[in-house]
């Protein structure tokens, strides 16, 4: 199978080194300025990309969204379980450290273009664990006071007067608070607040 490869790294010397390793292994190598434009034609392609910043992570995700068939190999300064999982979930098929040996890079790349990946067991375990729910916003002390007052039967109109807001504004503030707590309405918000010991 003929595969075209792009190498993206901020350091020209490093980029040329990776290109030379893969060229020696028999691959056709490019170093395009615009990776998203480069991947748009119909040939089978692979990208070796160094990910070091938020912009690099966003580019990785954009490349994966642009074409699911793209073989994405990620190079990181330091490989951690969390960053490996993040890269794999963003579309990478292989995650390696930037100080990988030329022979290991060539082997990993050969495996990836054949549809195989070497993933450490601890990364596989982390991938299999369900994604933890995002942390619930805790209400501020003032918001807890409002929840307590509502639980004791205070009306929104009375709460608005005490807080110095219009009734309409108080409704908006409370609706936002309920949403942050993961509740659809006042009753659900009060139940959640009770369960979490905020009342």
């Amino acid at each position: 199978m003929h595969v075209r490869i792009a190498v993206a790294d901020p350091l020209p010397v490093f980029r040329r080194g990776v290109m030379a390793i893969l060229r020696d292994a028999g691959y056709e190598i490019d170093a395009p300025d615009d990776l998203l434009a480069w991947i748009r034609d119909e040939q089978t392609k692979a990208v070796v990309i160094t990910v070091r910043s938020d912009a690099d992570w966003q580019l990785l995700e954009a490349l994966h969204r642009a074409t699911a068939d793209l073989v994405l190999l990620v190079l990181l300064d330091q490989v951690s379980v969390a960053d490996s999982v993040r890269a794999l979930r963003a579309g990478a098929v292989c995650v390696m450290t930037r100080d990988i040996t030329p022979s290991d890079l060539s082997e990993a790349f050969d495996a990836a273009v054949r549809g195989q990946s070497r993933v450490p067991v601890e990364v596989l375990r982390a991938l299999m664990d369900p994604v933890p729910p995002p942390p619930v916003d805790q209400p501020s002390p003032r918001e807890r006071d409002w929840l307590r007052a509502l639980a004791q039967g205070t009306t929104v109109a009375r709460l608005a007067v005490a807080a110095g807001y219009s009734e309409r504004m108080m409704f908006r503030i409370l609706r936002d608070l309920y949403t942050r707590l993961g509740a659809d309405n006042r009753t659900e918000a009060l139940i959640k607040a009770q369960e979490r010991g905020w009342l």
Side-chain angles (χ1 to χ4, degrees):
M1 168 177 58
H2 179 72
V3 179
R4 287 183 61 208
I5 303 160
V7 177
D9 188 278
L11 298 174
V13 172
F14 185 87
R15 182 173 57 243
R16 287 183 185 176
V18 172
M19 292 172 71
I21 292 165
L22 296 175
R23 193 175 292 117
D24 289 347
Y27 293 102
E28 179 185 334
I29 311 295
D30 292 320
D33 291 328
D34 185 347
L35 281 173
L36 286 169
W38 181 84
I39 66 171
R40 289 199 177 104
D41 70 40
E42 298 300 315
Q43 291 180 304
T44 301
K45 295 190 175 180
V47 172
V48 179
I49 181 172
T50 297
V51 176
R52 302 178 83 189
S53 67
D54 286 338
D56 296 334
W57 285 106
Q58 291 168 5
L59 177 58
L60 175 64
E61 292 166 356
L63 289 166
H64 180 61
R65 280 193 308 270
T67 174
D69 296 335
L70 185 64
V71 177
L72 285 164
L73 292 93
V74 169
L75 298 175
L76 300 171
D77 287 326
Q78 293 184 324
V79 175
S80 67
V81 171
D83 284 342
S84 295
V85 168
R86 182 179 179 187
L88 292 167
R89 286 192 171 137
V93 297
C94 184
V95 180
M96 302 164 284
T97 183
R98 286 181 85 211
D99 65 0
I100 190 169
T101 65
S103 61
D104 285 346
L105 174 64
S106 186
E107 284 177 27
F109 190 83
D110 287 340
V113 296
R114 288 192 319 270
Q116 300 173 352
S117 179
R118 294 185 296 178
V119 178
V121 172
E122 62 268 17
V123 174
L124 284 175
R125 286 187 178 132
L127 279 168
M128 291 186 304
D129 285 343
V131 178
V136 175
D137 265 0
Q138 292 198 11
S140 69
R142 186 176 193 197
E143 290 169 334
R144 288 183 192 200
D145 289 342
W146 294 340
L147 290 169
R148 281 189 206 99
L150 290 171
Q152 293 168 356
T154 302
T155 65
V156 174
R158 230 191 245 163
L159 202 59
V161 169
Y165 294 116
S166 70
E167 189 173 349
R168 176 177 283 184
M169 178 58 81
M170 194 75 224
F171 270 112
R172 277 192 207 125
I173 291 169
L174 291 172
R175 187 175 56 239
D176 290 344
L177 173 60
Y178 304 157
T179 301
R180 279 190 10 243
L181 299 179
D184 291 328
N185 55 49
R186 181 190 315 182
T187 304
E188 282 184 27
L190 292 175
I191 291 170
K192 288 177 185 286
Q194 179 67 39
E195 288 171 352
R196 294 171 186 150
W198 295 334
L199 297 184

